[in-house]
């Protein structure tokens, strides 16, 4: 396996430099991320995490057609080598009538699929994406397969069998799922507001023989609507609602139960350009839970399941990053660029960001994080405070230093058990070079 | 027969003079300039411009390196920036209406469109891929990107999809792509990402993306997790079409 991976990398390098002889645009990036958390969770092997990723990309863009290719090698303390094809995109964009609508575009290959919130679907998928542009409407349709990714590069985990695969070192590939997306966007429809409608589905293709004991398949569809735009100049907002339907396995009955769950959220952002490009942000996200769930995955015990489970796994904070299921959180943030008006150009791109996020459960049911106190009466999980500093002195170098403290609610009758989820501090450094 | 022909010609000439009187062609004047500025009236050769030069409909104006010109169109003022070529396609003004259409072939201009009481002003600034239509506002435009300075500009792409761009906001299009939401321009000004965006970077951002499966594994399978949680970097919009 190691020989195969090295051969693959060697072939990629040869291919890269051969193609580089042609008039393509080529380049690369080297990214480093190092973090230290204290105290570490009982389940973690070490308090330090370190990853380095070398990416090489090729891009060729003509009038109507475009080709993007990016491969990478990632080193981490947990995995010394991970070679991956990050992007392979053959794309085109045309007008179906001369100088008039509609426009048609396509993307084919290894693509990034995302819904308008990036909370339901924000994943790389192998497939095709088509879009049609008309004066008042943009239509996007995408369809693809998620099972051709190496496990570490896929974040799609939706069932007990998916979890079992993660533990099985003999299993190399991510869960076999079909994913589809249809999105309608009405830009600037009224009063400078965009209106969006979205339909997403994922179909679990796991064969019966690969189902883990006590687990089944997880099928879900997501129907959503959202609105975003300008309230007054410099003040912007967005709001969304998603309904999840589908089927989840019930280990008690051995059958499948219907899913009726929802996710909603919104945010406000106020930009103060004259105050050193400051920004104030307010945000909330609520995902429904189910009090009779016995476990986070496929834990339903009654007739219908009400715990929302998205395909993506967005991270809200630095330390505490639960899956958006049975979770309600708010966010208050403030950012500033203190050297915006400095004479030296290299100082201008320096940003300080402060965030405060209180987290709650939406129901008595479980969340994705371990160490919860199942007999607690409170649903308040804790609050995280993060300080993030980002600096880009020149276009080819980026630096980031982040620090966070999670004030876990682990006291008497707290949501967490003190020895399982202590108060935690994390610091992370990031460096990005491009060439 | 000859007399009838002469009568018809005279009537046509009178009619044309009458029409010209209803819609008199507007003229622009070069109010200020610096560096090398040239202009080409319709059907004529390029000539050097100077302050006070009159620019008529159909004229192309061109500025050189480190040069600029300010055109006074009575109801609007256009600053033609360096290395810019622009054609005055239509300049018509009457007692109640003013119609201005400018074609930006290359470069950048700043436009200040005045609101004059009693006059309806239809002002359009076009490029090969987008159009900015304004009324009583000020903005900067380079054919792909528009920056609002005051008032509201309607910015549209080739297929007629529009964005309203207010003061302090910006939008851009490649011609076929939907004009970028104006909040993205504010995010670009206020946010800094430590990760570099490449042509192959997806909209989800660059950097190192790691899956976070620790807790699932512990809770669902009862064994210790091995990978600490990680986060993705910020969302980045990349326009990849030239």
């Amino acid at each position: 396996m190691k020989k195969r991976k090295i051969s693959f990398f060697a072939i990629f390098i040869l291919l890269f430099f051969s193609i580089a002889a042609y008039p393509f645009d080529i380049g690369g990036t080297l990214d480093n991320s190092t973090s230290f958390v204290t105290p570490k969770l009982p389940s973690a092997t070490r308090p330090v995490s370190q990853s380095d990723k070398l990416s090489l990309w090729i891009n060729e863009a003509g009038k109507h057609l475009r080709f993007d290719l990016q491969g990478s090698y990632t080193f981490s303390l947990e995995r010394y080598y991970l070679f991956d094809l990050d992007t392979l995109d053959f794309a085109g964009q045309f007008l179906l009538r001369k100088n008039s609508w509609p426009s048609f575009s396509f993307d084919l290959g290894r693509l990034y699929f995302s819904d308008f919130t990036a909370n339901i679907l924000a994943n790389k998928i192998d497939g095709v994406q088509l879009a049609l542009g008309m004066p008042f409407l943009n239509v996007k349709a995408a369809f693809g397969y998620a099972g051709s990714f190496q496990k570490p590069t896929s974040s799609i985990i939706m069932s007990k069998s998916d979890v079992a695969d993660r533990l099985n070192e003999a299993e190399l590939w991510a869960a076999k799922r079909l994913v589809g997306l249809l999105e309608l966007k009405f830009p600037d429809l009224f009063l400078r507001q965009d209106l969006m409608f979205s339909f997403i589905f994922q179909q679990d293709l796991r064969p019966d023989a690969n189902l883990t004991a006590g687990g089944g398949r997880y099928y879900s569809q997501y129907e959503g609507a959202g609105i975003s735009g300008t309230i007054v100049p410099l003040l912007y907002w967005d709001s969304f609602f998603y309904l999840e339907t589908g089927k989840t396995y019930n280990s008690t009955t051995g059958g499948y139960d219907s899913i009726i769950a929802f996710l909603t959220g919104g945010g406000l952002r106020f930009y103060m350009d004259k105050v050193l490009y400051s920004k104030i942000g307010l945000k909330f996200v609520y995902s429904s839970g189910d009090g009779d769930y016995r476990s986070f995955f496929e834990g339903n015990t009654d007739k219908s399941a009400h715990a929302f489970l998205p395909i993506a796994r967005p991270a809200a904070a630095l330390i505490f990053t639960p899956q958006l299921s049975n979770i309600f959180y708010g966010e208050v943030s403030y950012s500033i660029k203190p050297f915006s008006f400095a004479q030296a150009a290299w100082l201008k791109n320096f940003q300080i960001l402060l965030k405060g996020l209180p987290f709650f459960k939406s129901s008595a049911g479980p969340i994705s994080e371990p160490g919860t106190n199942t007999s607690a009466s409170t649903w308040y999980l804790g609050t995280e405070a993060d300080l993030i500093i980002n600096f880009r002195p020149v276009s080819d170098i980026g630096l980031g230093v982040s620090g966070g403290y999670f004030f876990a609610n682990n006291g008497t009758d707290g949501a967490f058990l003190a020895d399982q989820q202590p108060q935690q501090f994390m610091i992370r450094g990031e460096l990005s070079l491009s060439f | 027969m000859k007399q009838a022909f002469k009568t018809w010609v005279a009537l046509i000439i009178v009619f044309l003079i009458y029409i010209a009187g209803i819609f008199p062609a507007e003229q622009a004047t070069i109010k200020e300039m610096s560096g090398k500025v040239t202009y080409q009236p319709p059907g004529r050769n390029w000539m050097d411009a100077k302050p006070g030069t009159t620019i008529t409909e159909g004229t192309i104006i061109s500025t050189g390196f480190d040069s600029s010109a300010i055109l006074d169109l009575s109801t609007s003022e256009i600053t033609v920036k360096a290395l810019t070529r622009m054609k005055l396609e239509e300049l018509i003004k009457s007692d109640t209406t003013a119609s201005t259409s400018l074609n930006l072939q290359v470069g950048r201009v700043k436009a200040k469109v005045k609101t004059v009481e009693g006059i309806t002003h239809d002002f359009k600034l076009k490029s090969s891929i987008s159009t900015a239509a304004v009324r009583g506002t000020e903005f900067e435009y380079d054919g792909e990107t528009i920056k609002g300075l005051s008032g509201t500009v309607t910015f549209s792409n080739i297929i007629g999809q529009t964005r309203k761009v207010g003061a302090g906001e910006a939008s851009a299009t490649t011609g076929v792509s939907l004009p970028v939401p104006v909040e993205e321009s504010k995010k670009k000004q206020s946010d800094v990402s430590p990760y570099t965006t490449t042509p192959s970077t997806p909209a989800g951002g660059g950097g190192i993306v790691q899956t976070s499966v620790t807790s699932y594994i512990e809770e669902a399978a009862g064994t210790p997790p091995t990978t600490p949680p990680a986060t993705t970097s910020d969302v980045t919009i990349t326009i990849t079409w030239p």
Side-chain angles (χ1 to χ4, degrees):
Chain A
M1 179 56 64
K2 187 174 175 176
K3 274 189 188 169
R4 225 183 302 167
K5 285 184 180 173
I6 293 174
S7 303
F8 170 78
F9 186 63
I11 290 167
F12 179 79
I13 290 287
L14 280 170
L15 202 62
F16 177 82
F17 284 106
S18 306
I19 292 170
Y22 286 86
F24 290 91
D25 197 10
I26 61 168
T29 57
L30 178 61
D31 300 322
N32 165 272
S33 174
T34 306
S35 62
F36 170 74
V37 61
T38 183
K40 68 176 184 68
L41 292 179
S43 49
T45 52
R46 60 175 69 85
V48 175
S49 167
Q50 210 259 345
S51 295
D52 302 281
K53 181 177 178 184
L54 172 66
S55 306
L56 300 173
W57 56 265
I58 295 169
N59 166 257
E60 170 66 11
K63 192 177 173 194
H64 295 295
L65 299 175
R66 186 184 90 243
F67 175 72
D68 291 314
L69 172 68
Q70 177 169 310
S72 65
Y73 160 67
T74 303
F75 164 86
S76 65
L77 295 178
E78 291 74 31
R79 191 179 176 121
Y80 292 161
Y81 50 87
L82 175 64
F83 299 98
D84 193 31
L85 178 65
D86 295 335
T87 305
L88 176 64
D89 185 7
F90 177 58
Q93 197 170 48
F94 309 91
L95 288 176
L96 296 182
R97 291 190 298 173
K98 190 178 177 186
N99 289 333
S100 182
W101 63 277
S103 68
F104 171 73
S105 66
F106 72 88
D107 289 82
L108 182 65
R110 177 157 288 190
L111 313 170
Y112 178 75
F113 284 20
S114 174
D115 73 296
F116 64 87
T117 66
N119 284 321
I120 310 299
L121 178 65
N123 302 84
K124 283 192 288 184
I125 307 281
D126 290 332
V128 59
Q129 183 166 286
L130 306 173
L132 207 59
M134 289 164 275
F136 296 105
L137 174 64
N138 253 23
V139 181
K140 178 170 80 173
F143 181 76
Y145 179 63
S148 49
F149 290 82
Q150 297 174 83
K151 269 189 327 194
T153 63
S154 171
S155 63
I156 302 178
I157 303 172
M158 304 183 82
S159 66
K160 286 181 178 168
S161 300
D162 291 347
V163 174
D165 278 356
R166 291 280 164 156
L167 294 173
N168 181 3
E169 291 197 3
E171 180 56 64
L172 302 175
W173 304 105
K176 296 172 182 48
R177 292 175 189 277
L178 284 179
V179 178
L181 163 73
L182 175 66
E183 201 163 90
L184 307 180
K185 182 170 186 171
F186 298 88
D188 255 28
L189 185 64
F190 60 91
L191 300 174
R192 301 184 70 190
Q193 307 299 308
D194 288 359
L195 185 63
M196 285 79 62
F197 296 98
S198 179
F199 173 74
I200 303 161
F201 76 88
Q202 66 84 21
Q203 186 81 358
D204 193 338
L205 300 177
R206 185 180 293 278
D208 288 342
N210 292 359
L211 292 173
T212 195
R217 293 183 201 82
Y218 190 89
Y219 308 95
S220 54
Q221 306 88 37
Y222 309 86
E223 301 82 23
I227 187 167
S228 64
T230 308
I231 298 175
V232 291
L234 307 180
L235 179 63
Y236 305 91
W237 81 300
D238 68 274
S239 179
F240 62 89
F241 179 88
Y242 266 100
L243 176 71
E244 182 186 358
T245 51
K247 292 208 175 297
T248 181
Y249 183 72
N250 185 324
S251 57
T252 306
T253 63
Y256 284 83
D257 300 325
S258 297
I259 303 169
I260 300 281
F262 71 93
L263 175 81
T264 187
L268 277 174
R269 293 160 299 279
F270 183 56
Y271 295 82
M272 297 175 285
D273 297 351
K274 292 180 179 156
V275 185
L276 301 172
Y277 289 101
S278 299
K279 178 171 78 171
I280 298 173
L282 292 172
K283 176 178 164 178
F284 82 95
V285 177
Y286 180 97
S287 65
S288 64
D290 195 326
D292 60 66
Y293 262 45
R294 272 197 314 211
S295 62
F296 182 72
F297 288 113
E298 298 174 302
N300 189 48
T301 56
D302 70 3
K303 282 185 182 170
S304 62
H306 301 294
F308 190 91
L309 185 62
I311 303 169
R313 185 170 179 170
L318 196 64
I319 303 170
F320 189 59
T321 57
Q323 173 60 297
L324 267 187
S325 177
N326 194 28
I327 284 286
F328 167 46
Y329 76 88
E331 179 185 304
V332 179
S333 64
Y334 176 73
S335 72
I336 189 169
K337 290 170 77 174
F339 308 116
S340 308
F341 303 114
Q343 292 280 9
W346 63 274
L347 269 180
K348 288 181 191 288
N349 284 327
F350 185 98
Q351 180 196 22
I352 302 172
L353 168 65
L354 285 161
K355 288 204 288 190
L357 301 100
F359 290 89
F360 303 83
K361 291 194 334 182
S362 308
S363 74
I367 62 171
S368 62
E369 303 307 288
T372 50
N373 180 0
T374 51
S375 62
S377 58
T378 179
W379 291 357
Y380 170 59
L381 296 168
T383 298
E384 180 163 329
D386 293 336
L387 169 68
I388 299 163
I389 297 173
N390 292 324
F391 183 36
R392 185 163 278 279
V394 292
S395 59
D396 293 339
I397 300 174
L399 298 155
V401 176
S402 312
Y405 198 91
F406 181 50
F407 300 87
N409 178 15
N410 58 8
T412 308
D413 197 37
F416 287 108
L417 301 167
D419 59 339
Q420 297 295 312
Q421 177 59 69
Q423 319 283 347
Q424 281 189 295
F425 168 74
M426 176 191 266
I427 186 161
R428 170 182 294 153
E430 290 159 304
L431 171 68
S432 177
L433 306 171
S434 63
F435 51 90
Chain B
M1 184 65 150
K2 207 172 175 180
Q3 187 60 37
F5 177 73
K6 284 182 185 172
T7 307
W8 272 113
V9 169
L11 280 172
I12 288 167
I13 291 169
V14 167
F15 178 71
L16 287 172
I17 292 169
Y18 174 67
I19 293 292
I22 291 179
F23 299 111
E26 179 74 346
Q27 288 180 334
T29 309
I30 295 183
K31 191 168 129 179
E32 284 173 40
M33 55 170 272
S34 66
K36 184 163 178 61
V37 180
T38 54
Y39 69 105
Q40 184 186 38
R44 295 170 68 182
N45 293 330
W46 285 95
M47 295 182 276
D48 288 333
K50 52 183 188 289
T53 298
T54 300
I55 306 290
T56 57
E57 195 175 279
T59 300
I60 301 173
I61 184 165
S62 176
T63 54
F65 180 75
D66 206 18
S67 305
S68 66
I70 299 178
L71 303 185
D72 182 3
L73 280 73
S74 73
T75 51
S76 54
E77 188 177 276
I78 310 291
T79 303
V80 184
K81 303 213 170 186
L83 298 173
T84 297
R85 184 170 285 196
M86 182 182 75
K87 183 177 181 182
L88 280 66
E89 286 189 335
E90 186 181 69
L91 292 171
I92 296 174
K93 184 169 177 260
S94 71
D95 291 338
T96 56
T97 58
S99 183
T100 308
S101 179
L102 308 169
N103 189 328
L104 179 65
Q105 296 169 354
V106 68
R108 178 181 282 267
V109 299
K110 178 175 156 182
K112 189 189 282 188
V113 181
K114 302 166 197 168
T115 307
V116 180
E117 205 171 319
I119 293 185
T120 303
H121 195 174
D122 179 15
F123 183 99
K124 280 197 183 73
L125 187 50
K126 299 190 288 191
S127 75
S128 61
I129 60 172
S130 63
T131 302
V134 302
R135 185 174 297 177
T137 187
E138 190 174 343
F139 63 96
E140 282 190 9
Y141 178 61
D142 70 359
E144 282 186 6
T145 305
I146 190 157
K147 286 184 194 171
L149 300 174
S150 72
T152 305
V153 184
T154 301
F155 181 58
S156 46
N157 63 8
I158 291 176
I159 57 175
Q161 295 174 328
T162 60
R163 285 267 176 225
K164 293 217 170 18
V165 180
E169 297 173 338
S171 184
T173 179
T174 59
V176 177
S177 64
L178 176 64
V180 174
V182 295
E183 192 187 350
E184 295 309 318
S185 66
K186 310 309 298 181
K187 281 185 188 170
K188 267 192 177 176
Q189 288 176 325
S190 61
D191 291 348
V192 177
S193 171
Y195 290 109
T196 305
T197 304
T198 71
S200 303
T201 301
I208 299 170
V209 177
Q210 295 180 349
T211 57
S212 176
V213 299
T214 57
S215 45
Y216 302 147
I217 294 171
E218 186 195 70
E219 191 155 279
T223 58
T226 56
T227 310
T231 59
T232 62
S233 54
D234 291 341
V235 172
T236 306
I237 301 290
T238 303
I239 299 172
T240 56
W241 271 120

